[in-house]
Amino acid sequence: MLGKTANGLFWMYRSLERAENTSRLVETGQRIALTRLESSDGEWLSIMQTAGVADGFLERHDEVTKEAAIDWMLRARDNPSSVLSAISAARQNARLVRTALTHDVWEAMNRCYMQVRERLARKVNERDLPAVIDMIKQHTALVRGTTQGTMLRNDIFNFARIGTYLERADNIARILDVKYYVLLPSVNSVGSSIDNVQWETILRAVSARGGFRMVHGNQACSVDIARFLILDRRMPRSLRFSITKIRDNLEYLASDYGLRHPCHAQVDTLMRRFMSHDIDSIFEYGLHEYLQDILAALAALGHQIEIDYRFYE
Amino acid sequence: MSEKQFFDEMWGRDAELRPPYQRFQNWFEGEDIARLRAKQREAEEVFRLTGITFNVYGRAEAEERLIPFDIIPRIISGREWQRLSRGIEQRVRAINAFLHDIYHRQEIVKAGRIPEQAISRNDAFLPQMIGVEPPGGIYTHIVGIDLVRTGDDQFYVLEDNARTPSGVSYMLENRETMLQMFPELFSQNRVQPVQSYPADLRRSLASCAPNGSDSPTVAVLTPGIYNSAYFEHAFLADQMGVELVEGNDLRVVDGKVAMRTTQGYQPIDVLYRRVDDDYLDPLNFNPDSALGIPGIMDVYRAGRITIANAPGTGIADDKAIYSYMPEIVEFYTGEKALLENVPTWRCAEPDALAYVLDHLSELVVKEVHGSGGYGMLIGPAATRKDLAEFRKKLMARPGNYIAQPTLSLSTVPIFTRNGLAPRHVDLRPFVLVGPNGINITPGGLTRVALKKGSLVVNSSQGGGTKDTWVLED
């Protein structure tokens, strides 16, 4: 496979995952706004922080309004993580690697792009927002589904998965880091209504509400949430799950190509360093520091993969 | 009387149904117009979803356009095709012999059949190719011959495409779409298949690999996703099961051209390039090109890679050389050309220029190096102002132009809101050339001018395409 193709696959799926994550955050933000009586503009800023797009927003806007925030996250061309930008990037990369994709995947991706572009051509008004979010979810799910259902399990698939899970791990770590303070065990705020909203934000933002309830019922405490999102093996959007997938796919590549690279050692170190402790030790170390370290390690891993598999010249 | 003026491939000149369209007509009569309208829309949806688009030069990235597809097939009888393909094969052999001669002994010039400056002063002539022996002796691995028809048995070659002819993906996708939408038509008519083209192409390219590589590595070289024909490049690479590369994926490693893969550099034996000569090798040609592979020409001259088509083949499809094609065919094959050329005035010659200036409003005037229908004058359709402006350009640089009579191009029905209506067409059959022989896919790309009365079929000028059937007689 061409290095350029590996690069295109990696970024196609990374962008697709990003588009999904961003749209999920918009949905979460809207949900909070609708279920709270006081003004939620501050919450929109925090939502944009979790999406990693707050700085760009503040450079271009004087105040945070719900309308502006939604527009920035869904449609802004100058926001590279907006749903529209991310889907366009995914489709552009899909064109680049057209020969590596099955007909079904390409068609799903192309359809996704055409529909999203059409629906996001104009500002989305509040009434249409649920339908638009649904449409985005459905179309990205279709790309994911055709990928699962029609792609050969070879190096092409491995690079697609590595892109997906690197983005996902990065996304979860960022969400947790923006909200880490509400997860810190503290006696006086537990059970207060503010906290419930915050927790719910986190769980919704990673589609973990249902899963969490299955495991813990409604008796949530912050430590349980942190454990669930960082260390749970079954939760497809936990850090452990994502990092394990990255490692597995890198391992498949190593055995397929018969060659180990520095990125293999790096992902092993990453697993050992961050996944071999229990949640108490993580809190003891400092949740914020822990998450910052993981984000840095993930970025370094991504960079090493680019080098090892010759994404660029 | 427009019915008399143009030959219609379905109804002839006298509104009498021609035999190849018999079964089609039976089917069409039983069809409901509303259903066909829905089918036409369905076809467009298929093309849009599949991403069969072309990029419009000079437009924003988002500008990907569909080439309109018309659901009415263009039908050619087996007998007609046989005659055509003999003529095409003869012409393609002559073109290859001509190229070899031009880059070696130039016998045709010595024999006085072509003036020396028609070669030496031609921009398409590549001095870097002098004395080079391309692997397998093939210069034009893929050729597209543009044909027009004016009567029952009257075909003309309008243009030879010996550089990087495009459009073959439309030939294939048009057929695929028709098969999906109208399977019953293919049960009723015995249509010669075109689907083996990608496999044939790969085989033909592989047979031209440098000195007998056992299982040669083939790759398609594209200028990138912003190129107007990118879809086709990706399509062909995909269908052949080979890599689609850009210049920056390639470099010269150990005397071979190699592509950067996830497992290191891997040598390539045959490069089907869809970039122009100028962008092939910045060391040997255009030093400003970011698209090329530095040093590929040295590898080529050393006989260690096949470039398809060979660099410098443009000299054979240049419009000024075109006018010599009857002589060229005769010189190398010893036979009279089976396919006719359109009579052509070379404006570089004073007598011809005088004639062209006198008859400008009746003629089609083309730039010698132009393509895609840009920069041409269609005399009968031009306003007085157009004519005056073109006259100035022509007098300033006569050598830059050739002129031809306006041909009465045949028409084929297209499907319109009100049923069938005749529109002008041309035909580009695709020819594969290898050391083991010449392979012509039955059919080709039919381009159709969708505007009533228009003679310009180029997609860049609003033309569409049709599925082209060659019947098994």
Side-chain angles (χ1 to χ4, degrees):
Chain A
M1 187 204 300
L2 294 178
K4 176 189 71 190
T5 306
N7 185 23
L9 286 161
F10 177 87
W11 280 106
M12 172 189 164
Y13 283 90
R14 221 180 147 155
S15 307
L16 202 66
E17 177 73 19
R18 184 168 300 178
E20 274 193 271
N21 291 337
T22 304
S23 64
R24 197 176 302 108
L25 283 168
V26 172
E27 191 181 26
T28 308
Q30 173 69 354
R31 164 97 201 164
I32 295 168
L34 295 180
T35 52
R36 286 176 76 176
L37 294 175
E38 63 265 45
S39 157
S40 60
D41 292 348
E43 197 54 46
W44 277 107
L45 184 62
S46 132
I47 290 276
M48 286 194 286
Q49 277 162 356
T50 55
V53 299
D55 292 347
F57 180 89
L58 293 173
E59 275 165 30
R60 290 169 186 77
H61 300 80
D62 295 329
E63 53 170 353
V64 179
T65 64
K66 169 176 151 182
E67 209 175 283
I70 290 178
D71 201 57
W72 178 247
M73 292 177 76
L74 285 185
R75 315 172 48 235
R77 281 280 182 192
D78 43 356
N79 170 10
S81 296
S82 75
V83 171
L84 186 56
S85 300
I87 294 283
S88 301
R91 196 263 188 169
Q92 187 79 310
N93 278 294
R95 280 190 84 203
L96 192 72
V97 302
R98 176 68 188 80
T99 56
L101 303 174
T102 60
H103 188 83
D104 291 16
V105 172
W106 161 251
E107 219 171 272
M109 184 68 244
N110 202 30
R111 194 192 293 261
C112 171
Y113 165 74
M114 290 189 304
Q115 297 280 334
V116 166
R117 197 179 56 161
E118 199 187 311
R119 287 306 293 268
L120 296 184
R122 276 168 298 280
K123 262 202 166 113
V124 179
N125 70 39
E126 190 164 13
R127 193 173 39 180
D128 296 334
L129 189 61
V132 168
I133 300 263
D134 260 4
M135 184 272 298
I136 296 167
K137 276 202 220 160
Q138 265 179 33
H139 279 288
T140 50
L142 213 56
V143 181
R144 207 159 359 97
T146 49
T147 303
Q148 285 283 351
T150 67
M151 299 271 289
L152 212 60
R153 277 8 182 210
N154 58 4
D155 47 355
I156 294 174
F157 192 75
N158 298 143
F159 284 112
R161 304 300 272 175
I162 291 168
T164 301
Y165 284 105
L166 211 53
E167 178 67 24
R168 188 174 293 181
D170 182 81
N171 185 254
I172 302 158
R174 239 171 328 100
I175 290 175
L176 288 171
D177 196 34
V178 170
K179 299 280 182 191
Y180 83 94
Y181 54 91
V182 283
L183 292 170
L184 296 179
S186 96
V187 189
N188 47 23
S189 65
V190 170
S192 75
S193 73
I194 299 284
D195 258 16
N196 282 339
V197 170
Q198 299 286 7
W199 291 350
E200 184 151 330
T201 309
I202 297 169
L203 287 171
R204 273 183 191 279
V206 295
S207 279
R209 229 167 100 263
F212 184 78
R213 224 181 358 232
M214 261 180 226
V215 177
H216 293 282
N218 285 321
Q219 299 302 309
C221 80
S222 59
V223 177
D224 289 336
I225 293 181
R227 187 188 297 115
F228 190 63
L229 295 185
I230 295 172
L231 296 174
D232 198 278
R233 291 172 196 280
R234 303 154 295 181
M235 157 63 188
R237 287 174 187 279
S238 78
L239 274 174
R240 182 193 292 276
F241 191 94
S242 305
I243 294 169
T244 307
K245 285 284 181 194
I246 298 169
R247 189 193 56 183
D248 291 351
N249 280 283
L250 283 173
E251 279 305 320
Y252 296 142
L253 284 174
S255 74
D256 191 5
Y257 291 170
L259 193 61
R260 297 183 73 80
H261 288 293
C263 65
H264 294 100
Q266 256 186 42
V267 77
D268 287 343
T269 310
L270 209 150
M271 280 299 279
R272 231 184 3 260
R273 236 183 101 197
F274 296 103
M275 293 298 140
S276 53
H277 306 283
D278 60 18
I279 198 70
D280 297 331
S281 325
I282 291 171
F283 277 116
E284 211 168 287
Y285 178 76
L287 182 58
H288 176 59
E289 290 73 13
Y290 172 86
L291 291 166
Q292 285 294 318
D293 289 351
I294 281 199
L295 283 167
L298 287 169
L301 177 62
H303 185 62
Q304 191 61 45
I305 292 170
E306 277 176 12
I307 295 169
D308 290 345
Y309 291 105
R310 299 158 186 269
F311 283 12
Y312 305 99
E313 246 173 311
Chain B
M1 288 290 284
S2 66
E3 302 96 274
K4 295 277 183 209
Q5 194 188 342
F6 297 107
F7 173 75
D8 187 85
E9 298 190 14
M10 185 164 175
W11 296 105
R13 283 183 201 278
D14 313 308
E16 195 174 313
L17 185 64
R18 295 181 65 249
Y21 283 87
Q22 199 78 58
R23 286 164 197 268
F24 173 79
Q25 171 64 9
N26 290 345
W27 170 86
F28 185 77
E29 276 175 349
E31 280 296 303
D32 170 32
I33 295 290
R35 182 182 102 101
L36 288 180
R37 251 184 237 138
K39 285 280 182 187
Q40 178 76 53
R41 280 194 300 274
E42 194 185 307
E44 272 159 34
E45 186 58 19
V46 169
F47 277 72
R48 206 177 291 279
L49 264 185
T50 322
I52 309 176
T53 57
F54 71 107
N55 301 346
V56 183
Y57 282 122
R59 306 257 185 146
E61 160 238 328
E63 231 13 87
E64 286 169 38
R65 275 211 244 151
L66 287 185
I67 295 184
F69 171 69
D70 177 70
I71 57 173
I72 307 300
R74 187 229 198 128
I75 310 177
I76 298 170
S77 76
R79 187 193 59 82
E80 287 168 339
W81 179 252
Q82 250 177 16
R83 257 195 70 225
L84 274 183
S85 46
R86 273 200 299 276
I88 294 168
E89 179 162 347
Q90 179 199 45
R91 195 165 173 109
V92 169
R93 281 192 198 288
I95 286 173
N96 267 282
F98 169 70
L99 283 163
H100 188 271
D101 186 30
I102 282 308
Y103 288 115
H104 291 83
R105 301 169 56 92
Q106 302 207 338
E107 301 283 2
I108 195 165
V109 178
K110 288 179 194 148
R113 306 292 282 272
I114 288 188
E116 197 271 332
Q117 72 265 26
I119 307 296
S120 60
R121 294 219 192 132
N122 197 314
D123 291 343
F125 178 73
L126 274 194
Q128 291 92 333
M129 283 297 289
I130 295 173
V132 176
E133 204 61 52
I138 308 297
Y139 283 85
T140 58
H141 309 75
I142 299 111
V143 189
I145 305 281
D146 287 357
L147 300 167
V148 294
R149 185 173 200 175
T150 57
D152 224 336
D153 266 326
Q154 194 60 54
F155 288 88
Y156 290 99
V157 175
L158 198 58
E159 200 172 294
D160 303 290
N161 295 280
R163 303 174 203 210
T164 51
S166 63
V168 77
S169 58
Y170 291 93
M171 171 185 87
L172 295 166
E173 288 289 357
N174 288 354
R175 175 63 53 83
E176 220 43 62
T177 306
M178 287 297 281
L179 281 169
Q180 254 182 55
M181 291 197 313
F182 305 110
E184 73 275 19
L185 269 176
F186 291 87
S187 309
Q188 294 158 17
N189 292 274
R190 297 177 61 206
V191 182
Q192 297 189 27
V194 297
Q195 282 85 348
S196 64
Y197 180 84
D200 293 342
L201 173 61
R202 182 173 183 171
R203 201 173 312 119
S204 186
L205 287 171
S207 72
C208 299
N211 45 25
S213 336
D214 260 355
S215 52
T217 302
V218 178
V220 178
L221 175 65
T222 174
I225 56 173
Y226 297 113
N227 184 267
S228 68
Y230 177 77
F231 161 75
E232 176 157 302
H233 307 161
F235 176 87
L236 288 174
D238 188 32
Q239 296 281 310
M240 287 195 286
V242 304
E243 292 290 0
L244 177 66
V245 299
E246 292 175 39
N248 60 14
D249 296 314
L250 304 179
R251 67 159 63 150
V252 176
V253 180
D254 300 332
K256 291 279 286 181
V257 173
M259 55 186 171
R260 192 181 75 253
T261 76
T262 49
Q263 302 178 77
Y265 278 89
Q266 187 194 334
I268 292 174
D269 302 300
V270 181
L271 193 60
Y272 175 19
R273 51 91 175 222
R274 296 291 297 258
V275 305
D276 294 343
D277 287 350
D278 262 2
Y279 301 106
L280 211 44
D281 186 345
L283 292 183
N284 280 277
F285 304 127
N286 182 353
D288 301 327
S289 167
L291 300 175
I293 307 107
I296 187 175
M297 275 305 285
D298 303 322
V299 179
Y300 184 64
R301 278 192 288 259
R304 305 200 66 192
I305 188 166
T306 301
I307 299 177
N309 291 349
T313 53
I315 188 77
D317 69 11
D318 178 87
K319 290 193 181 68
I321 294 294
Y322 164 86
S323 60
Y324 295 102
M325 277 310 288
E327 286 93 333
I328 289 173
V329 171
E330 219 178 306
F331 187 78
Y332 296 105
T333 64
E335 303 159 8
K336 276 202 84 64
L338 298 172
L339 286 174
E340 276 186 75
N341 248 29
V342 181
T344 303
W345 289 274
R346 294 183 279 263
C347 301
E349 297 166 9
D351 290 356
L353 178 64
Y355 177 88
V356 171
L357 288 171
D358 274 354
H359 297 83
L360 206 51
S361 62
E362 302 156 25
L363 300 172
V364 176
V365 190
K366 297 175 178 171
E367 283 186 25
V368 172
H369 302 296
S371 70
Y374 292 103
M376 65 189 264
L377 174 86
I378 300 179
T383 64
R384 203 177 294 172
K385 188 162 154 270
D386 293 339
L387 289 172
E389 275 171 17
F390 210 90
R391 179 180 296 273
K392 269 187 232 151
K393 284 202 273 182
L394 186 54
M395 295 207 303
R397 296 186 60 198
N400 200 30
Y401 297 95
I402 55 150
Q404 295 171 336
T406 335
L407 294 178
S408 308
L409 296 196
S410 63
T411 55
V412 170
I414 65 165
F415 185 71
T416 70
R417 293 167 61 92
N418 309 313
L420 299 184
R423 293 290 186 273
H424 296 292
V425 292
D426 78 352
L427 174 64
R428 175 180 293 178
F430 293 93
V431 188
L432 298 174
V433 189
N436 309 326
I438 288 179
N439 177 326
I440 309 171
T441 308
L445 177 67
T446 290
R447 298 186 297 177
V448 53
L450 296 174
K451 238 190 296 170
K452 190 173 177 186
S454 168
L455 293 167
V456 186
V457 297
N458 303 73
S459 53
S460 50
Q461 313 281 310
T465 69
K466 280 171 165 297
D467 189 17
T468 310
W469 294 2
V470 173
L471 298 183
E472 196 82 57
D473 284 345

